[in-house]
PDB file of all heavy atoms in Angstrom:
ATOM      1  N   VAL A 110      93.267  99.611  75.134  1.00 98.00           N
ATOM      2  CA  VAL A 110      92.895  99.803  76.536  1.00 98.00           C
ATOM      3  C   VAL A 110      93.880  99.049  77.423  1.00 98.00           C
ATOM      4  O   VAL A 110      94.169  97.870  77.176  1.00 98.00           O
ATOM      5  CB  VAL A 110      91.461  99.301  76.807  1.00 98.00           C
ATOM      6  CG1 VAL A 110      91.064  99.560  78.256  1.00 98.00           C
ATOM      7  CG2 VAL A 110      90.470  99.965  75.849  1.00 98.00           C
ATOM      8  N   GLY A 114      90.543 101.340  84.207  1.00 92.00           N
ATOM      9  CA  GLY A 114      89.850 101.514  85.481  1.00 92.00           C
ATOM     10  C   GLY A 114      88.387 101.876  85.365  1.00 92.00           C
ATOM     11  O   GLY A 114      87.709 102.000  86.380  1.00 92.00           O
ATOM     12  N   LEU A 115      87.892 102.086  84.139  1.00 92.00           N
ATOM     13  CA  LEU A 115      86.474 102.339  83.925  1.00 92.00           C
ATOM     14  C   LEU A 115      85.899 101.253  83.017  1.00 92.00           C
ATOM     15  O   LEU A 115      86.581 100.767  82.118  1.00 92.00           O
ATOM     16  CB  LEU A 115      86.243 103.705  83.265  1.00 92.00           C
ATOM     17  CG  LEU A 115      86.534 104.961  84.086  1.00 92.00           C
ATOM     18  CD1 LEU A 115      86.145 106.199  83.273  1.00 92.00           C
ATOM     19  CD2 LEU A 115      85.798 104.961  85.411  1.00 92.00           C
ATOM     20  N   ILE A 116      84.660 100.895  83.273  1.00 91.00           N
ATOM     21  CA  ILE A 116      83.983  99.928  82.414  1.00 91.00           C
ATOM     22  C   ILE A 116      83.627 100.587  81.086  1.00 91.00           C
ATOM     23  O   ILE A 116      83.113 101.710  81.052  1.00 91.00           O
ATOM     24  CB  ILE A 116      82.704  99.404  83.101  1.00 91.00           C
ATOM     25  CG1 ILE A 116      83.079  98.621  84.367  1.00 91.00           C
ATOM     26  CG2 ILE A 116      81.888  98.528  82.160  1.00 91.00           C
ATOM     27  CD1 ILE A 116      81.892  98.194  85.200  1.00 91.00           C
ATOM     28  N   LEU A 117      83.907  99.892  79.990  1.00 96.00           N
ATOM     29  CA  LEU A 117      83.578 100.422  78.664  1.00 96.00           C
ATOM     30  C   LEU A 117      82.190  99.941  78.251  1.00 96.00           C
ATOM     31  O   LEU A 117      81.978  98.738  78.081  1.00 96.00           O
ATOM     32  CB  LEU A 117      84.598  99.964  77.620  1.00 96.00           C
ATOM     33  CG  LEU A 117      86.057 100.369  77.835  1.00 96.00           C
ATOM     34  CD1 LEU A 117      86.868 100.052  76.568  1.00 96.00           C
ATOM     35  CD2 LEU A 117      86.190 101.838  78.184  1.00 96.00           C
ATOM     36  N   PRO A 118      81.226 100.845  78.095  1.00 96.00           N
ATOM     37  CA  PRO A 118      79.904 100.449  77.611  1.00 96.00           C
ATOM     38  C   PRO A 118      79.985  99.937  76.165  1.00 96.00           C
ATOM     39  O   PRO A 118      80.979 100.141  75.470  1.00 96.00           O
ATOM     40  CB  PRO A 118      79.091 101.745  77.697  1.00 96.00           C
ATOM     41  CG  PRO A 118      79.881 102.666  78.569  1.00 96.00           C
ATOM     42  CD  PRO A 118      81.313 102.283  78.378  1.00 96.00           C
ATOM     43  N   GLN A 119      78.895  99.330  75.723  1.00 96.00           N
ATOM     44  CA  GLN A 119      78.882  98.748  74.380  1.00 96.00           C
ATOM     45  C   GLN A 119      79.107  99.799  73.300  1.00 96.00           C
ATOM     46  O   GLN A 119      79.734  99.521  72.279  1.00 96.00           O
ATOM     47  CB  GLN A 119      77.544  98.029  74.144  1.00 96.00           C
ATOM     48  CG  GLN A 119      77.534  97.140  72.896  1.00 96.00           C
ATOM     49  CD  GLN A 119      78.522  95.995  72.983  1.00 96.00           C
ATOM     50  OE1 GLN A 119      78.601  95.322  74.011  1.00 96.00           O
ATOM     51  NE2 GLN A 119      79.284  95.774  71.916  1.00 96.00           N
ATOM     52  N   TRP A 120      78.645 101.035  73.523  1.00 97.00           N
ATOM     53  CA  TRP A 120      78.818 102.053  72.485  1.00 97.00           C
ATOM     54  C   TRP A 120      80.303 102.360  72.259  1.00 97.00           C
ATOM     55  O   TRP A 120      80.694 102.687  71.127  1.00 97.00           O
ATOM     56  CB  TRP A 120      78.033 103.320  72.822  1.00 97.00           C
ATOM     57  CG  TRP A 120      78.528 104.147  73.971  1.00 97.00           C
ATOM     58  CD1 TRP A 120      78.057 104.137  75.255  1.00 97.00           C
ATOM     59  CD2 TRP A 120      79.583 105.119  73.947  1.00 97.00           C
ATOM     60  NE1 TRP A 120      78.754 105.034  76.029  1.00 97.00           N
ATOM     61  CE2 TRP A 120      79.684 105.652  75.251  1.00 97.00           C
ATOM     62  CE3 TRP A 120      80.430 105.599  72.952  1.00 97.00           C
ATOM     63  CZ2 TRP A 120      80.619 106.630  75.590  1.00 97.00           C
ATOM     64  CZ3 TRP A 120      81.361 106.578  73.287  1.00 97.00           C
ATOM     65  CH2 TRP A 120      81.460 107.083  74.588  1.00 97.00           C
ATOM     66  N   VAL A 121      81.114 102.236  73.298  1.00 97.00           N
ATOM     67  CA  VAL A 121      82.558 102.449  73.117  1.00 97.00           C
ATOM     68  C   VAL A 121      83.163 101.278  72.359  1.00 97.00           C
ATOM     69  O   VAL A 121      83.959 101.465  71.430  1.00 97.00           O
ATOM     70  CB  VAL A 121      83.265 102.610  74.481  1.00 97.00           C
ATOM     71  CG1 VAL A 121      84.770 102.786  74.279  1.00 97.00           C
ATOM     72  CG2 VAL A 121      82.694 103.794  75.239  1.00 97.00           C
ATOM     73  N   LEU A 122      82.788 100.055  72.728  1.00 97.00           N
ATOM     74  CA  LEU A 122      83.330  98.872  72.063  1.00 97.00           C
ATOM     75  C   LEU A 122      83.010  98.863  70.572  1.00 97.00           C
ATOM     76  O   LEU A 122      83.808  98.377  69.761  1.00 97.00           O
ATOM     77  CB  LEU A 122      82.765  97.608  72.718  1.00 97.00           C
ATOM     78  CG  LEU A 122      83.047  97.414  74.212  1.00 97.00           C
ATOM     79  CD1 LEU A 122      82.336  96.163  74.732  1.00 97.00           C
ATOM     80  CD2 LEU A 122      84.542  97.321  74.465  1.00 97.00           C
ATOM     81  N   ASP A 123      81.847  99.422  70.206  1.00 96.00           N
ATOM     82  CA  ASP A 123      81.405  99.392  68.812  1.00 96.00           C
ATOM     83  C   ASP A 123      81.948 100.547  67.975  1.00 96.00           C
ATOM     84  O   ASP A 123      81.877 100.498  66.740  1.00 96.00           O
ATOM     85  CB  ASP A 123      79.872  99.434  68.749  1.00 96.00           C
ATOM     86  CG  ASP A 123      79.229  98.190  69.340  1.00 96.00           C
ATOM     87  OD1 ASP A 123      79.923  97.157  69.429  1.00 96.00           O
ATOM     88  OD2 ASP A 123      78.040  98.265  69.724  1.00 96.00           O
ATOM     89  N   CYS A 129      88.069  97.353  70.129  1.00 98.00           N
ATOM     90  CA  CYS A 129      88.952  97.723  71.230  1.00 98.00           C
ATOM     91  C   CYS A 129      89.860  96.557  71.594  1.00 98.00           C
ATOM     92  O   CYS A 129      89.386  95.426  71.786  1.00 98.00           O
ATOM     93  CB  CYS A 129      88.130  98.123  72.462  1.00 98.00           C
ATOM     94  SG  CYS A 129      87.020  99.527  72.180  1.00 98.00           S
ATOM     95  N   LEU A 130      91.149  96.831  71.710  1.00 98.00           N
ATOM     96  CA  LEU A 130      92.138  95.817  72.085  1.00 98.00           C
ATOM     97  C   LEU A 130      92.619  96.102  73.497  1.00 98.00           C
ATOM     98  O   LEU A 130      92.991  97.223  73.823  1.00 98.00           O
ATOM     99  CB  LEU A 130      93.327  95.833  71.124  1.00 98.00           C
ATOM    100  CG  LEU A 130      93.047  95.688  69.631  1.00 98.00           C
ATOM    101  CD1 LEU A 130      94.349  95.581  68.862  1.00 98.00           C
ATOM    102  CD2 LEU A 130      92.148  94.484  69.358  1.00 98.00           C
ATOM    103  N   ASN A 131      92.628  95.059  74.322  1.00 98.00           N
ATOM    104  CA  ASN A 131      93.041  95.198  75.715  1.00 98.00           C
ATOM    105  C   ASN A 131      94.384  94.521  75.956  1.00 98.00           C
ATOM    106  O   ASN A 131      94.639  93.431  75.445  1.00 98.00           O
ATOM    107  CB  ASN A 131      91.983  94.575  76.638  1.00 98.00           C
ATOM    108  CG  ASN A 131      92.374  94.666  78.100  1.00 98.00           C
ATOM    109  OD1 ASN A 131      92.613  93.660  78.758  1.00 98.00           O
ATOM    110  ND2 ASN A 131      92.433  95.876  78.611  1.00 98.00           N
ATOM    111  N   ILE A 132      95.239  95.198  76.739  1.00 98.00           N
ATOM    112  CA  ILE A 132      96.514  94.613  77.172  1.00 98.00           C
ATOM    113  C   ILE A 132      96.299  94.106  78.590  1.00 98.00           C
ATOM    114  O   ILE A 132      96.157  94.908  79.524  1.00 98.00           O
ATOM    115  CB  ILE A 132      97.646  95.655  77.159  1.00 98.00           C
ATOM    116  CG1 ILE A 132      97.717  96.356  75.805  1.00 98.00           C
ATOM    117  CG2 ILE A 132      98.978  95.005  77.509  1.00 98.00           C
ATOM    118  CD1 ILE A 132      98.656  97.563  75.801  1.00 98.00           C
ATOM    119  N   HIS A 133      96.299  92.792  78.767  1.00 98.00           N
ATOM    120  CA  HIS A 133      95.998  92.226  80.088  1.00 98.00           C
ATOM    121  C   HIS A 133      97.214  91.494  80.632  1.00 98.00           C
ATOM    122  O   HIS A 133      97.852  90.709  79.928  1.00 98.00           O
ATOM    123  CB  HIS A 133      94.811  91.265  80.011  1.00 98.00           C
ATOM    124  CG  HIS A 133      94.339  90.794  81.353  1.00 98.00           C
ATOM    125  ND1 HIS A 133      93.613  91.602  82.200  1.00 98.00           N
ATOM    126  CD2 HIS A 133      94.526  89.622  82.014  1.00 98.00           C
ATOM    127  CE1 HIS A 133      93.343  90.944  83.312  1.00 98.00           C
ATOM    128  NE2 HIS A 133      93.907  89.737  83.231  1.00 98.00           N
ATOM    129  N   LEU A 137      95.358  84.625  80.060  1.00 98.00           N
ATOM    130  CA  LEU A 137      93.926  84.354  80.164  1.00 98.00           C
ATOM    131  C   LEU A 137      93.617  82.930  79.708  1.00 98.00           C
ATOM    132  O   LEU A 137      94.312  82.383  78.856  1.00 98.00           O
ATOM    133  CB  LEU A 137      93.151  85.379  79.319  1.00 98.00           C
ATOM    134  CG  LEU A 137      93.182  86.814  79.860  1.00 98.00           C
ATOM    135  CD1 LEU A 137      92.599  87.787  78.837  1.00 98.00           C
ATOM    136  CD2 LEU A 137      92.451  86.921  81.189  1.00 98.00           C
ATOM    137  N   PRO A 138      92.589  82.306  80.347  1.00 98.00           N
ATOM    138  CA  PRO A 138      91.576  82.894  81.243  1.00 98.00           C
ATOM    139  C   PRO A 138      91.985  82.945  82.721  1.00 98.00           C
ATOM    140  O   PRO A 138      91.154  83.277  83.560  1.00 98.00           O
ATOM    141  CB  PRO A 138      90.385  81.977  81.049  1.00 98.00           C
ATOM    142  CG  PRO A 138      91.005  80.633  80.833  1.00 98.00           C
ATOM    143  CD  PRO A 138      92.235  80.906  80.006  1.00 98.00           C
ATOM    144  N   TRP A 140      93.345  84.535  85.954  1.00 98.00           N
ATOM    145  CA  TRP A 140      93.469  85.865  86.536  1.00 98.00           C
ATOM    146  C   TRP A 140      92.839  86.964  85.684  1.00 98.00           C
ATOM    147  O   TRP A 140      93.462  87.939  85.341  1.00 98.00           O
ATOM    148  CB  TRP A 140      94.931  86.193  86.862  1.00 98.00           C
ATOM    149  CG  TRP A 140      95.550  85.225  87.817  1.00 98.00           C
ATOM    150  CD1 TRP A 140      96.727  84.555  87.650  1.00 98.00           C
ATOM    151  CD2 TRP A 140      95.029  84.793  89.069  1.00 98.00           C
ATOM    152  NE1 TRP A 140      96.967  83.723  88.716  1.00 98.00           N
ATOM    153  CE2 TRP A 140      95.931  83.858  89.619  1.00 98.00           C
ATOM    154  CE3 TRP A 140      93.870  85.100  89.805  1.00 98.00           C
ATOM    155  CZ2 TRP A 140      95.723  83.228  90.839  1.00 98.00           C
ATOM    156  CZ3 TRP A 140      93.665  84.466  91.020  1.00 98.00           C
ATOM    157  CH2 TRP A 140      94.584  83.549  91.524  1.00 98.00           C
ATOM    158  N   ARG A 141      91.577  86.738  85.344  1.00 98.00           N
ATOM    159  CA  ARG A 141      90.777  87.851  84.860  1.00 98.00           C
ATOM    160  C   ARG A 141      90.588  88.827  86.015  1.00 98.00           C
ATOM    161  O   ARG A 141      90.581  88.434  87.169  1.00 98.00           O
ATOM    162  CB  ARG A 141      89.407  87.365  84.380  1.00 98.00           C
ATOM    163  CG  ARG A 141      89.438  86.448  83.162  1.00 98.00           C
ATOM    164  CD  ARG A 141      88.045  85.897  82.882  1.00 98.00           C
ATOM    165  NE  ARG A 141      88.011  85.062  81.701  1.00 98.00           N
ATOM    166  CZ  ARG A 141      86.962  84.321  81.332  1.00 98.00           C
ATOM    167  NH1 ARG A 141      85.858  84.330  82.080  1.00 98.00           N
ATOM    168  NH2 ARG A 141      87.007  83.587  80.245  1.00 98.00           N
ATOM    169  N   GLY A 142      90.404  90.113  85.706  1.00 96.00           N
ATOM    170  CA  GLY A 142      90.083  91.057  86.768  1.00 96.00           C
ATOM    171  C   GLY A 142      91.175  92.064  87.053  1.00 96.00           C
ATOM    172  O   GLY A 142      92.105  92.251  86.269  1.00 96.00           O
ATOM    173  N   ALA A 143      91.074  92.694  88.225  1.00 94.00           N
ATOM    174  CA  ALA A 143      91.793  93.941  88.511  1.00 94.00           C
ATOM    175  C   ALA A 143      93.242  93.781  88.924  1.00 94.00           C
ATOM    176  O   ALA A 143      94.041  94.693  88.733  1.00 94.00           O
ATOM    177  CB  ALA A 143      91.043  94.712  89.603  1.00 94.00           C
ATOM    178  N   MET A 162      93.831  91.077  73.883  1.00 98.00           N
ATOM    179  CA  MET A 162      92.490  90.528  73.786  1.00 98.00           C
ATOM    180  C   MET A 162      91.558  91.478  73.029  1.00 98.00           C
ATOM    181  O   MET A 162      91.660  92.701  73.178  1.00 98.00           O
ATOM    182  CB  MET A 162      91.969  90.297  75.206  1.00 98.00           C
ATOM    183  CG  MET A 162      90.526  89.874  75.341  1.00 98.00           C
ATOM    184  SD  MET A 162      90.015  89.880  77.084  1.00 98.00           S
ATOM    185  CE  MET A 162      90.164  91.619  77.491  1.00 98.00           C
ATOM    186  N   GLN A 163      90.677  90.923  72.226  1.00 98.00           N
ATOM    187  CA  GLN A 163      89.610  91.692  71.595  1.00 98.00           C
ATOM    188  C   GLN A 163      88.510  91.879  72.630  1.00 98.00           C
ATOM    189  O   GLN A 163      87.916  90.901  73.091  1.00 98.00           O
ATOM    190  CB  GLN A 163      89.051  90.965  70.379  1.00 98.00           C
ATOM    191  CG  GLN A 163      88.032  91.774  69.578  1.00 98.00           C
ATOM    192  CD  GLN A 163      88.697  92.785  68.648  1.00 98.00           C
ATOM    193  OE1 GLN A 163      89.612  92.437  67.908  1.00 98.00           O
ATOM    194  NE2 GLN A 163      88.228  94.018  68.674  1.00 98.00           N
ATOM    195  N   MET A 164      88.260  93.093  73.033  1.00 98.00           N
ATOM    196  CA  MET A 164      87.337  93.313  74.139  1.00 98.00           C
ATOM    197  C   MET A 164      85.882  93.066  73.746  1.00 98.00           C
ATOM    198  O   MET A 164      85.458  93.384  72.631  1.00 98.00           O
ATOM    199  CB  MET A 164      87.484  94.746  74.666  1.00 98.00           C
ATOM    200  CG  MET A 164      88.835  95.016  75.283  1.00 98.00           C
ATOM    201  SD  MET A 164      88.964  96.691  75.981  1.00 98.00           S
ATOM    202  CE  MET A 164      87.907  96.520  77.437  1.00 98.00           C
ATOM    203  N   ASP A 165      85.139  92.485  74.706  1.00 96.00           N
ATOM    204  CA  ASP A 165      83.690  92.379  74.572  1.00 96.00           C
ATOM    205  C   ASP A 165      83.067  92.903  75.857  1.00 96.00           C
ATOM    206  O   ASP A 165      83.747  93.509  76.679  1.00 96.00           O
ATOM    207  CB  ASP A 165      83.268  90.932  74.259  1.00 96.00           C
ATOM    208  CG  ASP A 165      83.656  89.941  75.359  1.00 96.00           C
ATOM    209  OD1 ASP A 165      83.992  90.378  76.485  1.00 96.00           O
ATOM    210  OD2 ASP A 165      83.625  88.726  75.104  1.00 96.00           O
ATOM    211  N   ALA A 166      81.775  92.673  76.046  1.00 92.00           N
ATOM    212  CA  ALA A 166      81.068  93.266  77.185  1.00 92.00           C
ATOM    213  C   ALA A 166      81.385  92.586  78.507  1.00 92.00           C
ATOM    214  O   ALA A 166      81.065  93.119  79.561  1.00 92.00           O
ATOM    215  CB  ALA A 166      79.562  93.218  76.929  1.00 92.00           C
ATOM    216  N   GLY A 167      82.024  91.410  78.481  1.00 93.00           N
ATOM    217  CA  GLY A 167      82.322  90.686  79.713  1.00 93.00           C
ATOM    218  C   GLY A 167      83.579  91.204  80.400  1.00 93.00           C
ATOM    219  O   GLY A 167      84.292  92.076  79.884  1.00 93.00           O
ATOM    220  N   LEU A 168      83.884  90.654  81.583  1.00 93.00           N
ATOM    221  CA  LEU A 168      85.077  91.016  82.334  1.00 93.00           C
ATOM    222  C   LEU A 168      86.246  90.163  81.855  1.00 93.00           C
ATOM    223  O   LEU A 168      86.399  89.007  82.258  1.00 93.00           O
ATOM    224  CB  LEU A 168      84.847  90.813  83.838  1.00 93.00           C
ATOM    225  CG  LEU A 168      86.060  91.072  84.745  1.00 93.00           C
ATOM    226  CD1 LEU A 168      86.516  92.517  84.642  1.00 93.00           C
ATOM    227  CD2 LEU A 168      85.736  90.702  86.178  1.00 93.00           C
ATOM    228  N   ASP A 169      87.045  90.718  80.949  1.00 96.00           N
ATOM    229  CA  ASP A 169      88.225  90.041  80.394  1.00 96.00           C
ATOM    230  C   ASP A 169      87.861  88.696  79.773  1.00 96.00           C
ATOM    231  O   ASP A 169      88.587  87.702  79.909  1.00 96.00           O
ATOM    232  CB  ASP A 169      89.296  89.843  81.480  1.00 96.00           C
ATOM    233  CG  ASP A 169      89.786  91.158  82.053  1.00 96.00           C
ATOM    234  OD1 ASP A 169      89.818  92.146  81.304  1.00 96.00           O
ATOM    235  OD2 ASP A 169      90.140  91.196  83.246  1.00 96.00           O
ATOM    236  N   THR A 170      86.749  88.661  79.066  1.00 97.00           N
ATOM    237  CA  THR A 170      86.257  87.411  78.471  1.00 97.00           C
ATOM    238  C   THR A 170      86.446  87.352  76.956  1.00 97.00           C
ATOM    239  O   THR A 170      86.109  86.347  76.335  1.00 97.00           O
ATOM    240  CB  THR A 170      84.764  87.222  78.781  1.00 97.00           C
ATOM    241  OG1 THR A 170      84.036  88.376  78.314  1.00 97.00           O
ATOM    242  CG2 THR A 170      84.523  87.051  80.271  1.00 97.00           C
ATOM    243  N   GLY A 171      86.993  88.399  76.334  1.00 97.00           N
ATOM    244  CA  GLY A 171      87.076  88.461  74.879  1.00 97.00           C
ATOM    245  C   GLY A 171      88.073  87.484  74.288  1.00 97.00           C
ATOM    246  O   GLY A 171      88.890  86.867  74.983  1.00 97.00           O
ATOM    247  N   ASP A 172      88.014  87.351  72.965  1.00 98.00           N
ATOM    248  CA  ASP A 172      88.911  86.436  72.249  1.00 98.00           C
ATOM    249  C   ASP A 172      90.367  86.887  72.390  1.00 98.00           C
ATOM    250  O   ASP A 172      90.679  88.084  72.369  1.00 98.00           O
ATOM    251  CB  ASP A 172      88.538  86.382  70.765  1.00 98.00           C
ATOM    252  CG  ASP A 172      87.212  85.684  70.533  1.00 98.00           C
ATOM    253  OD1 ASP A 172      86.714  85.044  71.478  1.00 98.00           O
ATOM    254  OD2 ASP A 172      86.688  85.787  69.410  1.00 98.00           O
ATOM    255  N   MET A 173      91.263  85.912  72.484  1.00 98.00           N
ATOM    256  CA  MET A 173      92.690  86.182  72.582  1.00 98.00           C
ATOM    257  C   MET A 173      93.283  86.377  71.191  1.00 98.00           C
ATOM    258  O   MET A 173      92.986  85.618  70.269  1.00 98.00           O
ATOM    259  CB  MET A 173      93.393  85.028  73.301  1.00 98.00           C
ATOM    260  CG  MET A 173      92.881  84.781  74.708  1.00 98.00           C
ATOM    261  SD  MET A 173      93.708  83.379  75.519  1.00 98.00           S
ATOM    262  CE  MET A 173      93.146  82.009  74.499  1.00 98.00           C
ATOM    263  N   GLN A 219      88.685  82.144  74.455  1.00 98.00           N
ATOM    264  CA  GLN A 219      89.300  81.664  75.685  1.00 98.00           C
ATOM    265  C   GLN A 219      88.711  80.302  76.057  1.00 98.00           C
ATOM    266  O   GLN A 219      87.512  80.078  75.907  1.00 98.00           O
ATOM    267  CB  GLN A 219      89.065  82.654  76.826  1.00 98.00           C
ATOM    268  CG  GLN A 219      89.752  83.987  76.641  1.00 98.00           C
ATOM    269  CD  GLN A 219      89.581  84.884  77.863  1.00 98.00           C
ATOM    270  OE1 GLN A 219      89.533  84.414  79.001  1.00 98.00           O
ATOM    271  NE2 GLN A 219      89.489  86.182  77.620  1.00 98.00           N
ATOM    272  N   VAL A 224      89.446  79.182  84.476  1.00 97.00           N
ATOM    273  CA  VAL A 224      89.095  80.579  84.757  1.00 97.00           C
ATOM    274  C   VAL A 224      89.304  80.885  86.246  1.00 97.00           C
ATOM    275  O   VAL A 224      88.808  80.164  87.109  1.00 97.00           O
ATOM    276  CB  VAL A 224      87.635  80.875  84.375  1.00 97.00           C
ATOM    277  CG1 VAL A 224      87.249  82.293  84.778  1.00 97.00           C
ATOM    278  CG2 VAL A 224      87.419  80.653  82.885  1.00 97.00           C
ATOM    279  N   THR A 225      90.068  81.939  86.529  1.00 98.00           N
ATOM    280  CA  THR A 225      90.197  82.444  87.897  1.00 98.00           C
ATOM    281  C   THR A 225      90.056  83.960  87.859  1.00 98.00           C
ATOM    282  O   THR A 225      90.275  84.585  86.817  1.00 98.00           O
ATOM    283  CB  THR A 225      91.551  82.075  88.536  1.00 98.00           C
ATOM    284  OG1 THR A 225      92.603  82.599  87.715  1.00 98.00           O
ATOM    285  CG2 THR A 225      91.710  80.576  88.685  1.00 98.00           C
ATOM    286  N   TYR A 226      89.716  84.546  89.015  1.00 97.00           N
ATOM    287  CA  TYR A 226      89.494  85.993  89.084  1.00 97.00           C
ATOM    288  C   TYR A 226      90.478  86.643  90.041  1.00 97.00           C
ATOM    289  O   TYR A 226      90.648  86.198  91.181  1.00 97.00           O
ATOM    290  CB  TYR A 226      88.054  86.299  89.501  1.00 97.00           C
ATOM    291  CG  TYR A 226      87.062  86.003  88.398  1.00 97.00           C
ATOM    292  CD1 TYR A 226      86.452  84.764  88.315  1.00 97.00           C
ATOM    293  CD2 TYR A 226      86.799  86.949  87.400  1.00 97.00           C
ATOM    294  CE1 TYR A 226      85.566  84.470  87.275  1.00 97.00           C
ATOM    295  CE2 TYR A 226      85.923  86.662  86.371  1.00 97.00           C
ATOM    296  CZ  TYR A 226      85.309  85.427  86.314  1.00 97.00           C
ATOM    297  OH  TYR A 226      84.459  85.141  85.289  1.00 97.00           O
TER     298      TYR A 226
END
Side-chain angles (χ1 to χ4, degrees):
V110 182
L115 291 184
I116 295 174
L117 300 191
Q119 192 63 45
W120 70 262
V121 178
L122 301 176
D123 294 339
C129 300
L130 305 186
N131 179 246
I132 308 170
H133 188 75
L137 291 170
W140 301 128
R141 295 173 178 171
M162 173 188 64
Q163 186 80 49
M164 295 183 72
D165 61 15
L168 176 62
D169 299 328
T170 56
D172 290 347
M173 301 179 294
Q219 294 185 34
V224 175
T225 58
Y226 288 92

